Amino acid sequence: MTSDRWEQAAFKTRVDGTLHRFVAQEADRFAEIDPLLAPVAEQLEAVVADGKRLRAAFCYWGWRAVGQPDNDALVRAAASLELVHAAAVVHDDLIDDSPLRHGRPTAHIALRGAVRRRPRADAASRSLAMLVGDLLMALAGQLFTESGLPAAYLARARPLWSVMARELIAGECLEILRTGAGPDTAASLKVIRYKTAKYTVEQPLLIGGALAGAGTRLSEGYRAYGLPLGEAFQLRDDLLGLFGDPELTGKANADDVRGHRPTALLAETWRLADDDERERLRDLVGRRNPGAQEVEAVRAVMRRLGAPARIEGMINARVEEALGALDELNVPPPAAAALTALTQSAALRLS
């Protein structure tokens, strides 16, 4: 993709190729240490097999919007953010005990086969998954630093990696600490801001911009565009998590109900509910293994109160805010067109 025309599918193919080659090589090196490590190495590759590659795309256009040309080394640096995401996904699925991702068993489920004859096999498979996530995060840093970009460029962006890691982990911790607590929309929005929004849009844009030498004004514009869009992305994810088609999302749609996660969707439902409806929610949300009827009962309460529509309103407001900030950026037309298209991909998707 060397022209100014944005072709998201072509870019995804390019990032996929970079990731698959790099991770396959590293997985082979890992497995060479001992044959027992083969199932763990397989999970390294499985976790990065799929993805929308939005984080890499935002990093790429954070670079291009400064006026920098297409660059293979930059694509490798941008792809490293997908390894950060892969690490976060493994850890998040482990924390939430999610069974499916992209329609396949999550890492801690897939690794049960490697330890099925061991004492405390479930705990062992979860420990292995945790280490897969840790290694993916280390590989992200390796791919970034070995991308081929000049050291001076990398040095400009390196401080942002520390911020990204701090905020991502803070968001995960906040979700754990808020799970099961009284639903609160403001608190839920803070969780998604730090757990997902910042490292999905804002930080990739800032890193791409820093690599390209973006000035303060452009970086501030990236923040004004990236944060509301990142929040819209996660609000959409919360809606899809409960109301989406599992065939499209690749995830089990009972996870948020079972885990009593502090989503804005649940918080808005609780805020609108009367005493009887809250009692019904207390009975349904947080059950260890909710069946289809229990999940549908939660949906019914939410629909009756109009909570999904309120979340749609939050998404639309944030998309408008992001697009308004984009209009103020005064970036080259190809970058503006690409970021507009990415806005739709992030916030108005079905999976």
Side-chain angles (χ1 to χ4, degrees), residues 256-269:
D256 288 353
V257 174
R258 175 174 49 80
H260 199 168
R261 295 176 186 166
T263 65
L265 176 60
L266 177 58
E268 281 296 285
T269 303

Side-chain angles (χ1 to χ4, degrees), residues 317-333:
R318 283 162 173 77
V319 168
E320 289 180 12
E321 183 181 350
L323 291 174
L326 181 58
D327 286 342
E328 298 294 321
L329 278 180
N330 193 29
V331 296

Side-chain angles (χ1 to χ4, degrees), residues 4 21-22 28 35-36 61 67-68 78 100 116-117 137 141-142 154 166 180 183 204 216 224 228 248 257 284 306:
D4 283 339
R21 286 190 299 272
F22 175 75
D28 287 346
L36 277 176
W61 285 105
Q68 293 279 15
L100 292 174
R116 62 182 179 276
R117 295 186 178 88
M137 188 64 83
Q142 179 183 336
L154 296 172
R166 182 189 311 125
T216 301
L248 295 177
V257 174
L284 292 168

Side-chain angles (χ1 to χ4, degrees), residues 1 18 92 98 120 176 178 181 184 205 215 223 226 282 302:
M1 189 188 69
T18 296
D92 196 45
S98 297
R120 300 179 66 242
I176 293 168
R178 291 291 314 173
D184 180 278
L205 277 169
R223 289 187 175 93
R282 286 191 191 97
M302 290 177 167

Side-chain angles (χ1 to χ4, degrees), residues 26-256:
E26 291 301 321
D28 287 346
R29 290 172 175 170
F30 184 79
E32 285 172 1
I33 295 171
D34 192 289
L36 277 176
L37 295 171
V40 182
E42 289 172 7
Q43 280 307 300
L44 287 173
E45 295 190 76
V47 171
V48 301
D50 299 299
K52 300 174 184 67
R53 311 312 186 201
L54 289 175
R55 292 155 187 87
F58 282 117
C59 181
Y60 177 87
W61 285 105
W63 163 276
R64 292 291 304 276
V66 180
Q68 293 279 15
D70 180 82
N71 184 299
D72 287 338
L74 184 279
V75 171
R76 287 191 290 274
S80 70
L81 294 171
E82 296 297 333
L83 294 179
V84 173
H85 175 54
V89 161
V90 171
H91 287 152
D92 196 45
D93 288 342
L94 184 58
I95 291 165
D96 294 336
D97 202 23
S98 297
L100 292 174
R101 175 76 64 164
H102 297 300
R104 293 194 298 268
T106 49
H108 64 282
I109 300 296
L111 285 164
R112 286 178 180 173
V115 292
R116 62 182 179 276
R117 295 186 178 88
R118 308 290 196 279
R120 300 179 66 242
D122 185 61
S125 67
R126 296 175 69 85
S127 297
L128 288 174
M130 177 184 68
L131 294 168
V132 167
D134 292 346
L135 182 51
L136 285 165
M137 188 64 83
L139 292 176
Q142 179 183 336
L143 180 57
F144 183 76
T145 57
E146 295 177 358
S147 62
L149 288 172
Y153 289 27
L154 296 172
R156 291 195 295 247
R158 194 167 291 118
L160 292 168
W161 273 74
S162 298
V163 175
M164 179 171 61
R166 182 189 311 125
E167 292 180 340
L168 170 56
I169 293 170
E172 287 282 9
C173 290
L174 284 172
E175 183 178 58
I176 293 168
L177 293 167
R178 291 291 314 173
T179 294
D184 180 278
T185 301
S188 294
L189 289 173
K190 188 171 188 178
V191 169
I192 70 172
R193 184 174 304 129
Y194 285 93
K195 180 192 169 187
T196 305
K198 283 176 166 285
Y199 98 94
T200 297
V201 185
E202 181 190 49
Q203 291 292 353
L205 277 169
L206 289 171
I207 288 171
L211 289 169
T216 301
R217 184 178 178 279
L218 184 56
S219 295
E220 289 173 352
Y222 284 169
R223 289 187 175 93
Y225 163 81
L227 187 56
L229 180 56
E231 291 182 359
F233 173 89
Q234 185 56 42
L235 288 168
R236 175 64 62 199
D237 210 53
D238 290 345
L239 272 181
L240 290 172
L242 192 52
F243 289 92
D245 181 352
E247 291 293 321
L248 295 177
T249 65
K251 303 175 187 177
N253 58 14
D255 283 359
D256 288 353

